[in-house]
Amino acid sequence: MIKLNGKSVSPGIATAEAYVYNPGNHIVPRRSISGKEHDSESRRLQRSIQTTRRQLKAIAGNLKDAMGDDSALIIGTQSQLLDEGNLVAEIEKTIRADHINVEWALTRIEDKYTKIFQRIQDPTFRERVNDISDLLQRLQRNLRRNKGKSTPSLSNVILVARDIAPSEAAYLMSRGNLRGLVLSEGGETSHTVILARTLEIPAVMNVERAHTRIRSGDALIVDGLSGEVLINPDNRTRQSYHIKQEKYASYLERSRQVLTLPDRTLDGRDFTLSANIELPMEVDLLQSYGSVGIGLFRTEFLLTDPGVAGSEEEQFQIYRNLARRVYPKPLILRTFDVGRDKQYGTFAQHPEPNPALGTMAVRLFLKDPEFFRIQIKAALRANESGNLRILFPMVTEIEEIHSLRRIVGECREELEKEGKKTLRETPLGIMVEIPGAIHLIPHLENAVDFLSVGTNDLIQYLLAVDRNNPSVSHLYNPFHPAVIRSLLEISSAATAINKEINVCGELAGQGFTALMLLGMGYTHFSMNPVSIIEIKRLFTHVHYKFLCRVVRKLRTFSSRSDAEEYFIEQMVGKYPDLFTQQSLF
Ligand code: PEP
Ligand code: MG
């Protein structure tokens, strides 16, 4: 058994086989099959073998022209492996004995041979494994080709990777039943991690070289509470984790009771908690967190499924369904926040020298509005009951807001001409996440209906720290004096113009920072659904007035570590019981 350590970023414990994902490779669909499917899987294998034989023959012909008879040594070995029949028989046997699909069987066999050949001393012989791997991968590719567009499914595995781009993560996590996630790198506020949390997938990141130390097929335990990852654990360890898992489940069950309490602090300050979602399917999870609205729908994740967000009609159906599901609570729909770390579909084609400061989000919208107009029209139509609002990301200046409002007006007129109803007023808001936008707030009384603070980007741009880069993550800190002062300023400026302000960055869902925000005067919090119970537990057991006093003092610190230490000390000193429950795990 090997134990690795990392940072827990999504709570829970998972036990399953590892699947090491290399973005250069295709995902291999893994499916358990019934006895009835053995023959059809076998036929798929035979078709792939036929295609492979044809290809090997063609390659051999081409190579022979270029290299003469030596070429036989390269390709001949693979043809021989197929002709001898032992390897094919082994694949067939694995499908039938292990009841798994052909792709999975091929991976298992490849892993087996890689392990065997690694132990061989003679390097020439050891390299023979390349022939086997190459052949098995060709069979995999031909299975995909025979099937048309592949739809990978990662069922019941723990995904291990160096890092995964958010678009890939959405694609992988929305299919199959992913049990856990282990990343060698990653950023705590990266969308991959956010997605894992929302889908309640236990995750650990910053596990040094996890993707090279763990092999596909290894038995893994991922402890998203302590940040430990165990490779091939012994029975005793498995049992102790099983007990821990049960304890955690019963803790969650008990914590759920706070959902019945009113949304109010001990001294009567009201607050509202809502959920951030990335994929429409996540709305199903919300029921278990009480009746909450959607404070942030990151619609750009729709673009990970090619074609889904293409048409107004398809988007309309998705948005209307979500608005109905959370009614009468709000659905805050953020327009496509594409660009920089969110490279999706057609938007991935415009590389810029400094994407984090380039054409992104509403900048793209205003530069090339056609695609976004479709989204606006779909959203306006979907607001049947008046609970849908539109939120614009990464706004820099008031001129952008004026242009956006004009486009929304034009979209409404177009819809009317087309005879499509938009009976309700749809409130329009902006994200405050570019530091410069903070100073716009006093001028926004007539320009916006509501505001939403994106603390993830706000901190990144305020402190010039890439939120996805682990080597600078020590500088990404919410207790930095600039962050504290900015958050205070946003809260008081929004109150002065009498606008509702929501906080939807990750700080809203993390215990101490959420308490800090409450003490700063914020009342609307939108977070990863998995954090709702914990934040409600904390908020309903503290005094708002006490938090205000502590926050007032926070302004005076020049050092972020002193400020953080002071805040935590005050909280734990005043409410010791509130925080001991967390350390149970
Ligand atoms: C943020 O920046 O805080 C935010 C909520 O938006 P995103 O994480 O999608 O950039
Ligand atoms: Mg943002």
Side-chain angles (χ1 to χ4, degrees):
M1 176 176 88
I2 300 172
K3 190 197 270 189
L4 308 177
N5 284 300
K7 189 169 173 57
S8 52
V9 282
S10 178
I13 295 171
T15 311
E17 255 186 36
Y19 182 89
V20 182
Y21 175 57
N22 173 354
N25 292 343
H26 279 272
I27 292 292
V28 177
R30 306 169 66 138
R31 214 162 44 81
S32 297
I33 58 169
S34 64
K36 283 191 220 138
E37 290 174 282
H38 288 167
D39 288 345
S40 60
E41 283 304 288
S42 188
R43 282 195 295 276
R44 291 183 59 227
L45 172 65
Q46 289 307 329
R47 277 203 298 277
S48 173
I49 290 173
Q50 276 169 18
T51 317
T52 302
R53 278 215 172 90
R54 272 201 307 276
Q55 289 167 343
L56 291 177
K57 209 167 151 198
I59 297 169
N62 293 341
L63 282 180
K64 198 165 177 188
D65 291 344
M67 296 172 63
D69 286 342
D70 286 351
S71 62
L73 286 174
I74 300 172
I75 282 302
T77 321
Q78 295 192 25
S79 302
Q80 240 174 24
L81 279 167
L82 275 185
D83 293 340
E84 274 167 12
N86 291 346
L87 189 66
V88 176
E90 192 175 355
I91 305 169
E92 291 269 9
K93 195 170 141 220
T94 309
I95 294 171
R96 288 168 194 276
D98 298 349
H99 304 291
I100 56 178
N101 64 336
V102 53
E103 287 91 341
W104 196 353
L106 290 169
T107 316
R108 277 215 179 149
I109 291 167
E110 189 182 348
D111 285 347
K112 178 180 131 186
Y113 282 106
T114 311
K115 279 183 188 148
I116 294 173
F117 277 77
Q118 267 172 351
R119 290 200 291 270
I120 295 172
Q121 299 293 324
D122 180 344
T124 329
F125 198 59
R126 198 167 57 216
E127 276 159 21
R128 287 286 305 278
V129 75
N130 293 341
D131 289 321
I132 300 180
S133 277
D134 205 27
L135 177 62
L136 293 172
Q137 282 175 21
R138 182 174 291 282
L139 288 169
Q140 291 276 20
R141 282 197 298 278
N142 288 330
L143 280 166
R144 279 201 294 276
R145 202 162 290 154
N146 291 341
K147 200 167 132 199
K149 184 180 176 298
S150 67
T151 307
S153 101
L154 290 175
S155 240
N156 297 322
V157 291
I158 292 170
L159 188 64
V160 181
R162 192 160 76 90
D163 194 8
I164 305 179
S167 52
E168 273 173 311
Y171 193 62
L172 300 173
M173 292 184 196
S174 62
R175 284 163 179 75
N177 175 18
L178 199 66
R179 296 280 200 86
L181 176 70
V182 178
L183 298 178
S184 309
E185 298 178 2
E188 209 174 328
T189 61
S190 74
H191 289 95
T192 301
V193 168
I194 290 174
L195 197 62
R197 252 181 242 141
T198 316
L199 295 174
E200 300 177 5
I201 296 171
V204 177
M205 62 167 219
N206 290 355
V207 183
E208 215 183 320
R209 291 184 293 112
H211 65 293
T212 52
R213 292 159 87 184
I214 301 171
R215 303 189 57 87
S216 289
D218 277 345
L220 281 193
I221 295 178
V222 174
D223 186 342
L225 302 165
S226 69
E228 284 167 352
V229 177
L230 299 147
I231 311 173
N232 298 323
D234 52 43
N235 274 345
R236 258 182 58 189
T237 312
R238 276 173 195 267
Q239 263 164 14
S240 75
Y241 269 89
H242 187 66
I243 294 168
K244 187 171 177 182
Q245 203 166 16
E246 283 182 346
K247 267 170 80 180
Y248 181 63
S250 85
Y251 162 76
L252 281 186
E253 205 40 55
R254 271 182 283 123
S255 321
R256 233 168 256 287
Q257 288 162 7
V258 298
L259 293 175
T260 57
L261 297 175
D263 291 333
R264 194 166 299 138
T265 63
L266 289 175
D267 53 349
R269 172 84 166 173
D270 289 331
F271 58 83
T272 305
L273 307 183
S274 50
N276 292 349
I277 68 163
E278 285 73 34
L279 299 166
M281 64 185 255
E282 291 164 24
V283 74
D284 295 334
L285 297 171
L286 299 190
Q287 275 153 359
S288 53
Y289 300 108
S291 114
V292 292
I294 296 173
L296 174 68
F297 174 25
R298 292 180 163 103
T299 58
E300 59 276 7
F301 279 82
L302 291 175
L303 304 173
T304 54
D305 232 341
V308 165
S311 84
E312 180 189 312
E313 198 55 34
E314 264 166 320
Q315 288 186 57
F316 162 64
Q317 300 284 352
I318 293 170
Y319 303 156
R320 186 179 58 175
N321 181 38
L322 284 176
R324 284 181 178 170
R325 291 283 297 272
V326 296
Y327 183 81
K329 301 275 162 118
L331 161 65
I332 301 184
L333 181 155
R334 183 174 75 183
T335 59
F336 299 131
D337 184 5
V338 282
R340 60 204 197 285
D341 61 328
K342 301 171 186 175
Q343 300 287 325
Y344 297 120
T346 49
F347 300 106
Q349 293 161 0
H350 310 289
E352 290 183 328
N354 196 348
L357 303 179
T359 319
M360 57 181 158
V362 293
R363 299 176 185 179
L364 247 175
F365 186 137
L366 294 170
K367 189 168 161 208
D368 187 9
E370 274 328 295
F371 190 74
F372 293 86
R373 290 174 91 103
I374 296 173
Q375 183 176 37
I376 299 290
K377 285 168 81 173
L380 292 174
R381 282 175 64 200
N383 190 17
E384 286 177 340
S385 308
N387 64 329
L388 187 149
R389 306 187 203 169
I390 297 176
L391 176 64
F392 294 106
M394 305 300 284
V395 168
T396 313
E397 55 174 28
I398 202 161
E399 285 78 355
E400 287 173 329
I401 304 176
H402 294 324
S403 306
L404 292 164
R405 292 196 82 98
R406 184 176 43 74
I407 294 176
V408 173
E410 288 167 7
C411 289
R412 189 172 284 117
E413 280 168 22
E414 272 173 40
L415 285 173
E416 266 158 34
K417 279 195 203 126
E418 291 163 20
K420 296 172 184 158
K421 300 184 287 191
T422 56
L423 290 181
R424 310 277 177 173
E425 268 304 307
T426 300
L428 303 180
I430 64 157
M431 298 274 297
V432 180
E433 52 185 345
I434 291 178
I438 299 173
H439 304 285
L440 282 184
I441 302 174
H443 307 285
L444 296 183
E445 192 170 355
N446 301 315
V448 300
D449 302 302
F450 68 101
L451 297 158
S452 191
V453 194
T455 55
N456 304 338
D457 278 314
L458 186 69
I459 298 177
Q460 143 160 292
Y461 287 100
L462 207 49
L463 304 182
V465 180
D466 181 347
R467 63 195 263 192
N468 298 317
N469 182 349
S471 43
V472 286
S473 63
H474 59 289
L475 293 171
Y476 191 100
N477 192 291
F479 290 92
H480 187 289
V483 179
I484 290 176
R485 281 176 179 269
S486 301
L487 291 170
L488 282 165
E489 190 175 339
I490 298 169
S491 165
S492 58
T495 312
I497 60 165
N498 204 15
K499 296 287 166 192
E500 179 186 302
I501 181 143
N502 202 4
V503 190
C504 63
E506 293 304 286
L507 294 194
Q510 291 163 5
F512 288 119
T513 51
L515 288 167
M516 175 175 82
L517 289 162
L518 189 63
M520 288 176 164
Y522 291 94
T523 51
H524 288 67
F525 300 80
S526 187
M527 64 201 71
N528 222 286
V530 77
S531 308
I532 289 176
I533 293 177
E534 178 62 5
I535 297 300
K536 175 129 185 200
R537 186 178 75 83
L538 294 176
F539 282 13
T540 48
H541 288 84
V542 294
H543 300 82
Y544 168 63
K545 291 216 174 76
F546 171 72
L547 296 178
C548 292
R549 275 204 300 281
V550 178
V551 163
R552 225 172 286 137
K553 171 95 176 151
L554 272 189
R555 274 177 195 277
T556 61
F557 288 95
S558 59
S559 137
R560 53 122 178 120
S561 47
D562 289 350
E564 183 166 8
E565 206 173 290
Y566 169 77
F567 190 79
I568 295 175
E569 236 173 57
Q570 291 295 313
M571 292 302 124
V572 178
K574 171 94 174 163
Y575 306 107
D577 295 345
L578 204 50
F579 299 98
T580 45
Q581 292 199 42
Q582 288 174 317
S583 55
L584 268 178
F585 302 99

